[in-house]
């Protein structure tokens, strides 16, 4: 924001240079007033939660097999198990 005085009658004007920063309070107020924006925001939020739960569900078997194998087999076996799991995930189960 640039503030300056204009010469004709010393009127005070404000000039914005186009650099806009995110204002959370304005966003929350627009969410309260705009029903379509509220629906889109809730849809994106639900989609993000579903994606996080999906990623956790996919990686749960890897995490459980790693914790089961880490004590008796050591770290190299854990890496082998992770690589095997990722190969099965990439190629599909046969």
């Amino acid at each position: 924001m640039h503030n300056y005085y204009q010469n004709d009658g010393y009127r005070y004007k404000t000039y914005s240079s186009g650099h806009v920063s995110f204002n959370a309070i304005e966003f929350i107020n627009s969410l309260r007033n705009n029903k379509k924006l509220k629906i889109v925001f809730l849809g994106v939020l639900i989609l993000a939660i579903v994606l996080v739960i999906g990623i956790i569900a996919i990686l749960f078997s890897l995490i459980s097999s790693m914790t089961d194998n880490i004590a008796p087999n050591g770290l190299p076996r854990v890496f082998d198990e992770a690589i095997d799991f990722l190969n099965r995930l990439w190629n599909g189960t046969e």
Side-chain angles (χ1 to χ4, degrees):
M1 245 1 190
H2 299 287
N3 299 322
Y4 64 94
Y5 287 100
Q6 194 173 13
N7 287 340
D8 59 341
Y10 298 104
R11 283 186 272 174
Y12 190 71
K13 291 199 174 195
T14 302
Y15 168 74
S16 176
S17 64
H19 298 289
V20 179
S21 62
F22 179 73
N23 190 351
I25 295 172
E26 276 186 34
F27 179 71
I28 291 171
N29 286 335
S30 65
L31 264 175
R32 287 184 194 158
N33 299 330
N34 192 342
K35 192 172 187 174
K36 290 180 184 179
L37 184 61
K38 192 183 302 184
I39 291 171
V40 169
F41 181 73
L42 287 175
V44 169
L45 184 65
I46 290 170
L47 182 65
I49 290 171
V50 167
L51 284 174
V52 168
I53 290 172
I55 289 172
I56 289 171
I58 289 173
L59 295 178
F60 182 73
S61 64
L62 173 65
I63 293 168
S64 65
S65 67
M66 284 175 59
T67 56
D68 291 342
N69 288 328
I70 203 163
N73 298 325
L75 201 55
R77 177 69 180 144
V78 171
F79 289 136
D80 291 339
E81 190 73 30
I83 290 170
D84 183 47
F85 173 78
L86 292 174
N87 281 333
R88 282 185 289 153
L89 189 65
W90 183 260
N91 295 329
T93 54
E94 296 176 7

